[in-house]
Amino acid sequence: MKQPHVCILTTAHPTDDVRVRHKMAASFLGAGFKVSWLGRDHAFFDPDSKNSTEIEFHLVNSGTGRTGRVLSRYRLAGEARAMQDVDVFYAPEPDSAALAAKVARRSGARVIFDIHEVFHTYMLDRWLHGMELSMVRRAVWNFVNRTCSKCDLVVGTCTPTLAPYRDACKQAMVVRNCAPRWFADVPPADIAAPTRKTFSIMHGKSDLGRGTLLVIRALGLVAKHAPHVRVVMFDRFGGEDDPARQQFWQYADKAGVRSMIELRQGVPIEEMPDLLRSCDVGMIAYDRNMGVDTLANRPFEYMAVGLPILAPVYGKALSTVIKTEDCGVLVDFEDPANVADGILQLVSNADRTREMGENARSSFLLRHNWEVEVAPLLEHVERWSRDA
């Protein structure tokens, strides 16, 4: 059988992206495929990082921001047409998928479009800043559906994310954003250990959105009952003069919870398991605008190290996993009092919290790891190669 050549064609994803680089590209390589990467030259590209020598990189310099993304399409189009012997283009954005489909019509390559978000709703909200503009939303929906119809396979991170576009797809499958099995190589978290003076909850990236400010309000309600609770956040702000940073701390001071927040620097993905296992609970704080139809990768990272999950009750895909595996507590992340109740439930019932953490880890190893999840996609590409 011919070794398939998979070209990752991306207009936006950086070369260290977790799903595209550390999961998809790594899995293609692990399956024995040739892998090339055609994308933008991000400043933090490290040619010596893991798998860099095994991937053939073709990076174009197109500037930054939205203007840079538009310019990159023209330069990437020329590079894509010049690529030799590509069997499959893998594209993780609508514009890169549309470009891949156009190039593939001439070359005979197959196209995989990997959908990470519902583009015409909350994804578009980031651009429209809350404006409705229904005609724009309809146009985006039409564009994504047309793109899906031109691709050989459309992949979605969960069923709700894929659902708005599925009817337009020739073939579709869900490949959830599970963590790789090596995430569970560390010992499980020692939840509520007697030697710990604090009860730590991993929140993830700090932001003035994504539920962060509501979590701060919930902490204000928790403080009087469990002042030893700490919420760990990765510092996403700029320097000390960043207005967003100042607003964040003003909000925390108003709630009286500055001492309950650990704002720390991020770590490479290889170090994440050890950091997570130093916590007691993992949190997904998305509101309804972002949390209903999405399934992030972080819940599976929490599960891998044995952390129970505090998550939105309205998250269609995630709540199903938590209920089925009995591995967490579901609350309304638009209601600070309900979030506070969920935190206190986990803090005050250590045995039950540990049990949910054990359920999380065991179900991750059996059903919810990346190797199990990506296997059907790899088999699909291999079948194309056999039929060529």
Side-chain angles (χ1 to χ4, degrees):
M1 184 179 72
K2 177 182 178 293
Q3 179 193 42
H5 176 189
V6 179
C7 177
I8 296 170
L9 175 58
T10 172
T11 55
H13 283 72
T15 54
D16 66 343
D17 182 80
V18 173
R19 179 174 173 92
V20 180
R21 171 70 179 280
H22 294 286
K23 295 180 182 177
M24 285 294 185
S27 294
F28 293 147
L29 288 170
F33 304 166
K34 177 183 176 182
V35 178
S36 55
W37 182 296
L38 180 52
R40 295 169 65 184
D41 187 4
H42 293 270
F44 43 80
F45 172 62
D46 180 3
D48 299 320
S49 60
K50 188 175 181 180
N51 293 332
S52 288
T53 57
E54 299 177 73
I55 300 173
E56 184 180 299
F57 285 96
H58 303 265
L59 304 178
V60 301
N61 189 347
S62 59
T64 60
R66 297 173 186 174
T67 302
R69 181 167 177 173
V70 172
L71 288 173
S72 74
R73 296 173 198 166
Y74 296 99
R75 297 180 180 177
L76 290 172
E79 292 282 346
R81 285 191 292 268
M83 293 288 291
Q84 298 294 316
D85 302 321
V86 173
D87 299 294
V88 179
F89 283 102
Y90 164 90
E93 307 98 2
D95 51 347
S96 63
L99 173 58
K102 187 175 182 180
V103 173
R105 280 202 302 269
R106 302 177 182 178
S107 68
R110 311 267 190 168
V111 178
I112 299 172
F113 177 17
D114 188 2
I115 295 181
H116 302 175
E117 301 176 279
V118 182
F119 299 103
H120 65 286
T121 57
Y122 63 83
M123 178 67 175
L124 192 59
D125 285 338
R126 301 177 200 173
W127 293 58
L128 298 180
H129 303 291
M131 295 183 289
E132 279 303 316
L133 298 181
S134 57
M135 291 182 64
V136 175
R137 296 185 188 278
R138 186 69 182 180
V140 171
W141 182 84
N142 284 332
F143 173 71
V144 176
N145 274 277
R146 284 196 306 272
T147 302
C148 288
S149 70
K150 297 173 183 177
C151 297
D152 298 277
L153 176 65
V154 179
V155 170
T157 54
C158 64
T159 300
T161 295
L162 187 58
Y165 317 114
R166 191 155 197 159
D167 288 346
C169 304
K170 299 173 185 175
Q171 287 186 295
M173 70 168 62
V174 171
V175 180
R176 298 174 303 159
N177 221 358
C178 300
R181 194 178 281 117
W182 62 259
F183 245 83
D185 287 347
V186 299
D190 189 6
I191 294 170
T195 55
R196 289 186 189 170
K197 296 181 180 180
T198 60
F199 186 96
S200 296
I201 302 173
M202 173 56 74
H203 170 66
K205 298 172 182 176
S206 63
D207 204 323
L208 296 183
R210 296 176 182 259
T212 301
L213 296 184
L214 183 133
V215 169
I216 291 175
R217 291 172 60 192
L219 278 180
L221 301 175
V222 169
K224 64 183 74 172
H225 305 286
H228 65 298
V229 168
R230 297 291 182 271
V231 172
V232 181
M233 302 184 187
F234 293 122
D235 191 344
R236 287 284 304 277
F237 301 117
E240 293 301 321
D241 295 333
D242 183 358
R245 178 186 294 277
Q246 295 173 356
Q247 184 178 345
F248 172 86
W249 285 121
Q250 288 169 3
Y251 206 86
D253 288 338
K254 183 178 180 180
V257 297
R258 179 184 279 255
S259 64
M260 298 175 72
I261 297 173
E262 180 186 337
L263 195 62
R264 57 157 299 149
Q265 294 301 310
V267 300
I269 188 172
E270 294 82 6
E271 299 176 20
M272 188 65 73
D274 277 321
L275 174 59
L276 292 180
R277 64 179 296 271
S278 69
C279 299
D280 299 282
V281 172
M283 175 189 289
I284 302 295
Y286 294 163
D287 60 14
R288 281 174 173 80
N289 186 46
M290 193 170 178
V292 173
D293 294 326
T294 59
L295 183 60
N297 65 299
R298 276 190 292 124
F300 301 106
E301 295 178 358
Y302 297 154
M303 293 173 71
V305 300
L307 293 182
I309 307 168
L310 185 65
V313 66
Y314 39 78
K316 294 177 183 176
L318 180 54
S319 64
T320 299
V321 172
I322 290 174
K323 290 175 184 175
T324 301
E325 306 296 359
D326 187 23
C327 63
V329 172
L330 298 171
V331 297
D332 186 342
F333 269 94
E334 293 183 353
D335 181 350
N338 195 229
V339 174
D341 286 344
I343 292 173
L344 292 173
Q345 178 182 335
L346 290 160
V347 172
S348 60
N349 296 280
D351 289 342
R352 176 65 178 140
T353 300
R354 280 191 285 267
E355 179 186 9
M356 289 188 291
E358 292 168 0
N359 293 342
R361 186 173 170 95
S362 61
S363 63
F364 169 82
L365 291 170
L366 289 172
R367 291 179 288 277
H368 300 293
N369 61 75
W370 177 254
E371 285 76 6
V372 170
E373 194 68 20
V374 78
L377 176 62
L378 300 177
E379 292 169 3
H380 205 95
V381 175
E382 289 172 347
R383 194 177 310 122
W384 283 340
S385 186
R386 286 195 301 268
D387 296 341

